[in-house]
Amino acid sequence: MARSARAREEIRRFLDIGAVQVAELDLDGDAAVLRPGPGSPPVTHGEVFVLVRRGGRPVGTLLGRVPRGADPGAVLAERARGADPRAVLAERARGADPRAVLAERVRAECGPAVFGDPGAAPFTSVVVATRERAGQLARALDSLLAQDHPRFEIVVVDNAPLTSETRELIERKYAERVRYVCEPVPGLAGAHNTGLDAVRGEVVAFTDDDVVADPRWLTELSAPFAADAGLGCSTGLILPARLTTPAQVLLESHGGFAKGFTPRTYDPARPPDDEPLFPFTAGRFGSGANMAFRTAVLRSVGGFDPATGAGTAARGGDDLYGFVRVLAQGHRLRYTPYALVWHHHRETWRDLETQAYGYGAGLTAYLTAVLVNRPALLPAFLARLPRGLTHARTLTAVRETEGGGTPGDHDMRTHPWPRRLSRLQRRGMLYGPVGYLKARRALRATARGAR
């Protein structure tokens, strides 16, 4: 009975989560320009999740409320310029309501920003893997073709297609501007490897078919490779394109895909003091919807493990596998918040359940893959295992904070996380190694059948 009552309460809280508008606010001197997020209507009264830019570059987010009848641009600009993040965080530490605090909070990076020259961007290939989502793919490709990068190519990998819809879209609308290749074996990692084989660029970038790329995304993501010969990988910022359903708001409140607004370089020769589990907490480095590799480096480690990723029994982890393999080879990884894509989060509670289970499974599947393919890492992994288990419990903990979701609060886990989703994440973690081994067996069976 108690479990049933708890489940009903979780559902009630979930359904009470309201929609949040998405917008961009560019602060340049005394001027402030407010624009709706990609695909969003003009901003009106109510709650607004705002990306704050300075000189066009992302520097932070805020969650504000625009009173009825007020000018949204004036209200949000005043908050972006006037909030003192240190005072707000102090209020939070004293036990103030997280949602009320966040409504007044601008991230600490929203202060004056100074940007260095990112350097010349190398010839870059963009790989987009897709499966039967031609409408979303077209939206993503339109944003990619609008990039300000001086020299790039786009390769679409049609993964285990059931119809000819994707191929026909490329031929009809994009002709010679986009290359089409087909990978008949299902699995995101395998599709990415097919793209890796096809590309010609010095750098290869990967993104998903459900994103809208900022016009400077590719330049910002690829330029660090020109500035650092030892760089093997770069990752960027992922923000929500829409927050219209409870599931989208709750996912973003859980941290979404964003990794903050502070550029950071991870160097295996100088492990970070604040990352005792380095390099195995690869989820801190970035996500597969916004990542790039030096092409020769990714090829030298064999690409992604095809038994990981969406579309396989492993359910995920292909991106994390790539990060750790590149770091384990001695190459650096750079996170830059200036390389931005807007991601269309899934929309329903069932989607969240699938995603929570997949996150857990992908995490332990990728760790299994790393140890299978690079057994020399086993001693380091075992030394970090006790702390890793504590980290996993914290990551999947149930949180019953009142107030609904608080999107934008990516560095503090004070938002609700329902027991059902926590349980699914932990079940996924237990399943991950089994799923990975199942995926390996399936690949071997496919290879035998092809001979």
Side-chain angles (χ1 to χ4, degrees):
M1 182 67 69
R3 178 175 294 183
S4 176
R6 189 164 56 222
R8 287 196 299 271
E9 176 63 15
E10 286 191 341
I11 292 172
R12 182 195 66 76
R13 290 186 182 183
F14 175 75
L15 294 176
D16 282 346
I17 297 174
V20 178
Q21 301 170 82
V22 176
E24 304 177 63
L25 180 68
D26 201 331
L27 301 178
D28 192 1
D30 293 333
V33 178
L34 181 68
R35 298 182 299 272
S40 296
V43 178
T44 61
H45 64 275
E47 283 195 299
V48 190
F49 173 84
V50 184
L51 168 67
V52 181
R53 298 178 185 259
R54 287 190 182 275
R57 271 180 160 178
V59 295
T61 58
L62 66 86
L63 183 67
R65 176 175 289 278
V66 178
R68 188 179 296 273
D71 176 16
V75 170
L76 296 171
E78 180 181 1
R79 290 189 176 180
R81 289 193 174 108
D84 182 345
R86 289 168 296 183
V88 172
L89 290 174
E91 289 180 28
R92 182 192 293 275
R94 290 195 297 269
D97 176 67
R99 194 171 184 83
V101 171
L102 184 60
E104 297 294 334
R105 175 176 179 255
V106 180
R107 300 181 63 93
E109 295 85 356
C110 285
V114 178
F115 306 117
D117 182 359
F123 175 37
T124 303
S125 303
V126 182
V127 173
V128 184
T130 188
R131 188 170 193 258
E132 303 301 334
R133 301 204 295 189
Q136 292 190 80
L137 176 63
R139 180 180 59 206
L141 291 177
D142 288 343
S143 71
L144 292 174
L145 289 168
Q147 295 296 297
D148 70 356
H149 194 287
R151 187 178 178 219
F152 67 98
E153 64 171 357
I154 301 173
V155 176
V156 168
V157 182
D158 198 0
N159 189 207
L162 300 174
T163 70
S164 60
E165 188 176 8
T166 299
R167 177 177 55 79
E168 291 170 357
L169 170 71
I170 302 302
E171 293 174 351
R172 180 181 71 254
K173 185 174 181 180
Y174 299 102
E176 297 179 358
R177 298 182 295 167
V178 175
R179 280 199 287 146
Y180 172 91
V181 295
C182 180
E183 170 49 60
V185 178
L188 183 57
H192 280 168
N193 286 340
T194 297
L196 178 63
D197 291 340
V199 301
R200 299 186 288 253
E202 177 186 344
V203 171
V204 55
F206 297 89
T207 191
D208 292 348
D209 61 5
D210 55 0
V211 308
V212 174
D214 188 75
R216 285 195 56 80
W217 167 69
L218 194 58
T219 296
E220 298 285 1
L221 190 66
S222 60
F225 291 95
D228 181 0
L231 194 69
C233 178
S234 69
T235 62
L237 178 66
I238 304 174
L239 291 179
R242 300 178 66 196
L243 293 170
T244 56
T245 72
Q248 290 174 332
V249 175
L250 184 57
L251 176 63
E252 191 62 27
S253 301
H254 188 54
F257 298 94
K259 311 302 176 185
F261 290 86
T262 303
R264 185 167 188 181
T265 298
Y266 294 92
D267 188 345
R270 300 175 182 82
D273 294 335
D274 60 343
E275 294 281 355
L277 301 178
F278 181 86
F280 298 107
T281 48
R284 295 183 182 272
F285 307 148
S287 299
N290 193 350
M291 62 183 182
F293 297 83
R294 199 176 298 276
T295 305
V297 169
L298 186 57
R299 286 173 174 167
S300 74
V301 300
F304 303 95
D305 187 324
T308 61
T312 72
R315 307 289 291 266
D318 52 308
D319 49 352
L320 309 183
Y321 174 87
F323 300 155
V324 173
R325 284 304 309 270
V326 166
L327 286 165
Q329 289 289 105
H331 302 281
R332 287 183 285 277
L333 183 152
R334 175 75 171 171
Y335 170 73
T336 172
Y338 311 134
L340 166 67
V341 298
W342 300 89
H343 182 262
H344 285 262
H345 295 349
R346 297 180 184 181
E347 297 184 354
T348 69
W349 174 260
R350 182 59 58 87
D351 291 336
L352 273 184
E353 290 183 328
T354 301
Q355 206 156 9
Y357 187 83
Y359 283 166
L363 173 63
T364 52
Y366 111 78
L367 289 170
T368 307
V370 165
L371 297 177
V372 167
N373 290 291
R374 189 71 188 272
L377 291 173
L378 181 59
F381 174 78
L382 292 176
R384 292 162 175 78
L385 186 57
R387 284 189 176 183
L389 294 173
T390 300
H391 173 71
R393 285 194 294 270
T394 302
L395 190 68
T396 61
V398 176
R399 285 175 294 276
E400 299 180 350
T401 305
E402 290 289 349
T406 54
D409 197 20
H410 299 299
D411 53 1
M412 301 186 75
R413 295 185 181 277
T414 58
H415 48 272
W417 191 238
R419 187 174 303 273
R420 169 68 175 166
L421 299 182
S422 171
R423 188 181 299 120
L424 284 169
Q425 275 188 291
R426 292 178 176 179
R427 286 180 183 172
M429 287 180 179
L430 293 174
Y431 165 80
V434 176
Y436 173 71
L437 295 176
K438 284 183 176 180
R440 283 175 63 93
R441 285 198 298 271
L443 286 171
R444 287 197 293 268
T446 300
R448 286 195 299 269
R451 287 198 292 268

